[in-house]
Amino acid sequence: MKQVSTHQLANWLDATLQVHRFKDYCPNGLQVEGKTSIRHIITGVTASQALLEAAVARNADAVLVHHGWFWKNENPCIRGPKRKRLALALHHDLNVFAYHLPLDAHVSLGNNAQLARVLGFTPDRDSDGAPMTCGPDGVVWLGRCDPPMMLQELGDSICNSLQRRPLVVGNTQQRIARIAWCTGGAQGMFEAAVTAGVDAYLTGEASEPTFHLARETGTAFIGAGHHATERYGVQALGAAIAHEFGVKVEFIDVDNPI
Ligand SMILES: [Zn+2]
């Protein structure tokens, strides 16, 4: 089986995802250093205890996730669940790679690009192929629902694609053609999508005010799951790694209803 050095992989990932372009809430890249060479990588949405245990059980050398560790506003002390996760990674020499905003935003491998592929949305792109976006830092993608459909049908289609019933707020008979989306917990970007003039906005999670904004603006809202909408970027990235370096890459879906 082929292998890649940890540092070569880290450099390739940082360059591919253009980490230097982002101001983020967590460090992007190799968060915990393990073995110096890698043959087998487990990918997942979150570096939870369950994912780490699955990686150890499979004798993996690295985990690669969208939600890593060391978030800006969290208590930095290594206690409780955090200690358990870190101890497991260190004990087994497991490398932990995490890419947050750079993995949301990548033009082809990113969560927004991959969710569009899965749900049949066509992103608007400029003449250079860059996605047309709105919202702070351009995190919300704009595009079309192909073909346009009633909100009710769109909800059913999303349920089929993600294997999870989305939260749908709006007139179920409304025709949805223009759509904006941002994977994960981007309910705070709903207003930017409304301003952009779309028929519907899709993200992972909702908050109490989300309902009123949808009602009062006539812009439909779809909450399709934080975890459910962020499963695809890391899988596309894993496939790109396997193609580039010939190492074994396996995605493990640790289910999460939120
Ligand atoms: Zn997320």
Side-chain angles (χ1 to χ4, degrees):
M1 200 194 300
K2 288 201 175 174
Q3 58 180 38
V4 58
S5 90
T6 300
H7 285 284
Q8 190 186 354
L9 179 61
N11 290 339
W12 183 85
L13 283 166
D14 288 355
T16 300
L17 297 174
Q18 299 184 286
V19 161
H20 62 277
R21 284 181 45 217
F22 296 87
K23 260 197 171 161
D24 211 334
Y25 317 98
C26 64
N28 286 298
L30 181 59
Q31 292 192 331
V32 177
E33 198 174 347
K35 289 167 199 163
T36 54
S37 74
I38 294 171
R39 292 164 201 271
H40 185 185
I41 302 170
I42 296 298
T43 62
V45 176
T46 300
S48 62
Q49 187 76 14
L51 187 78
L52 294 182
E53 282 170 5
V56 167
R58 284 166 174 76
N59 261 320
D61 309 305
V63 297
L64 167 65
V65 296
H66 179 50
H67 302 138
W69 300 338
F70 316 120
W71 298 88
K72 216 178 200 170
N73 295 321
E74 76 183 19
N75 182 339
C77 297
I78 309 295
R79 297 172 61 169
K82 201 188 212 177
R83 191 204 79 87
K84 277 182 80 180
R85 290 176 177 187
L86 196 56
L88 190 65
L90 292 174
H91 182 73
H92 293 277
D93 254 349
L94 202 57
N95 290 284
V96 178
F97 291 93
Y99 292 90
H100 183 236
L101 292 182
L103 184 55
D104 285 322
H106 191 274
V107 292
S108 58
L109 302 172
N111 279 323
N112 277 340
Q114 290 295 318
L115 186 69
R117 180 184 60 74
V118 170
L119 298 184
F121 300 161
T122 306
D124 293 339
R125 294 189 188 269
D126 68 15
S127 52
D128 297 328
M132 306 290 274
T133 62
C134 70
D137 300 322
V139 293
V140 177
W141 285 34
L142 298 167
R144 282 167 290 119
C145 178
D146 271 336
M149 54 182 96
M150 299 299 151
L151 181 58
Q152 170 82 52
E153 278 178 85
L154 179 57
D156 291 344
S157 154
I158 291 167
C159 182
N160 249 326
S161 303
L162 302 184
Q163 291 299 299
R164 181 187 186 284
R165 170 72 43 200
L167 168 72
V168 176
V169 183
N171 172 2
T172 54
Q173 298 309 304
Q174 185 190 346
R175 182 175 178 274
I176 308 298
R178 302 273 313 140
I179 190 155
W181 65 97
C182 183
T183 65
Q187 62 269 50
M189 306 290 168
F190 188 11
E191 236 174 306
V194 169
T195 307
V198 294
D199 303 312
Y201 175 59
L202 181 150
T203 185
E205 295 183 49
S207 298
E208 195 274 346
T210 309
F211 175 79
H212 305 292
L213 193 58
R215 270 276 171 95
E216 292 168 25
T217 60
T219 307
F221 176 86
I222 302 165
H226 189 138
H227 173 88
T229 57
E230 296 198 321
R231 285 178 296 198
Y232 304 100
V234 81
Q235 292 185 66
L237 185 60
I241 293 169
H243 179 79
E244 182 73 20
F245 300 106
V247 296
K248 182 177 176 187
V249 184
E250 236 181 313
F251 174 72
I252 295 183
D253 195 15
V254 178
D255 194 35
N256 180 342
I258 297 169

